[in-house]
């Protein structure tokens, strides 16, 4: 089982992926998603758009941990990246529920000026699916 935990709370994000699946296709798909996210975040960090505090990968155990802080100018782009990757993991979870488990939470300050402020929160299946893949 591959367990995926993605959190973004305002300007702090954490991603933790751990475990292997018995199906090599599913394991490869998970690896592509998490390695793509890691590379995109490293590229943003190299350009100064985010601070990458931790990024550990252990191929043997199948684990990856990322902790980063976004800047005001990168928060939306990072949020979109996380949403795309979370959608990929959600689709894998839908099609391979015995192999992938996603735990996703994104809390962002509400940009609208309201009395008392507020937040926008997305969890689990609130992630917009931009298309469905059919299992063959």
């Amino acid at each position: 089982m591959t367990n995926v935990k993605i959190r973004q709370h305002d300007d702090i994000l954490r991603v933790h992926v751990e475990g292997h699946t018995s199906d090599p296709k599913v394991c490869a798909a998970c690896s592509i998603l998490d390695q793509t996210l890691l590379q995109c975040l490293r590229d943003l960090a190299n350009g100064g758009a985010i601070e990458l505090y931790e990024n550990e990968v252990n191929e043997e155990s199948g684990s990856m941990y990322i902790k980063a802080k976004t800047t005001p100018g990168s928060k939306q782009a990072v949020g979109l990246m996380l949403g795309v990757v979370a959608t990929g993991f959600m689709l894998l979870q839908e099609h391979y529920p015995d192999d992938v488990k996603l735990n996703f939470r994104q809390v962002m300050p509400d940009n609208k000026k309201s009395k008392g402020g507020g937040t926008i929160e997305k969890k689990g299946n609130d992630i917009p699916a931009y298309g469905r893949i059919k299992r063959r």
Side-chain angles (χ1 to χ4, degrees):
M1 167 75 73
T2 297
N3 291 295
V4 180
K5 188 174 184 179
I6 300 173
R7 296 278 185 268
Q8 183 179 16
H9 190 276
D10 195 17
D11 60 348
I12 300 294
L13 69 101
R14 290 180 176 88
V15 179
H16 189 204
V17 180
E18 66 179 344
H20 286 289
T21 70
S22 57
D23 186 335
K25 296 182 301 195
V26 178
C27 199
C30 290
S31 293
I32 283 295
L33 288 170
D34 68 34
Q35 292 299 309
T36 298
L37 177 61
L38 179 58
Q39 187 59 52
C40 288
L41 293 174
R42 283 177 176 164
D43 291 345
L44 286 173
N46 288 338
I50 67 168
E51 292 179 52
L52 199 53
Y53 295 133
E54 296 178 50
N55 65 99
E56 301 170 9
V57 177
N58 184 324
E59 291 180 25
E60 190 173 306
S61 68
S63 68
M64 180 186 76
Y65 181 72
I66 301 169
K67 182 178 179 186
K69 181 177 182 178
T70 61
T71 61
S74 68
K75 195 181 302 184
Q76 185 176 11
V78 170
L80 290 171
M81 266 189 251
L82 290 177
V84 168
V85 169
T87 299
F89 280 116
M90 183 185 70
L91 291 169
L92 286 169
Q93 177 180 263
E94 283 179 11
H95 293 284
Y96 303 96
D98 294 335
D99 292 315
V100 179
K101 180 175 179 175
L102 170 65
N103 186 327
F104 176 79
R105 186 165 185 221
Q106 195 173 37
V107 179
M108 304 294 284
D110 189 351
N111 290 330
K112 297 177 187 171
K113 295 192 180 208
S114 60
K115 191 178 183 181
T119 60
I120 298 170
E121 183 173 343
K122 296 179 186 176
K123 292 194 285 189
N125 290 334
D126 291 344
I127 307 164
Y130 298 102
R132 299 283 185 223
I133 15 181
K134 294 185 180 176
R135 206 158 124 188
R136 295 177 193 230

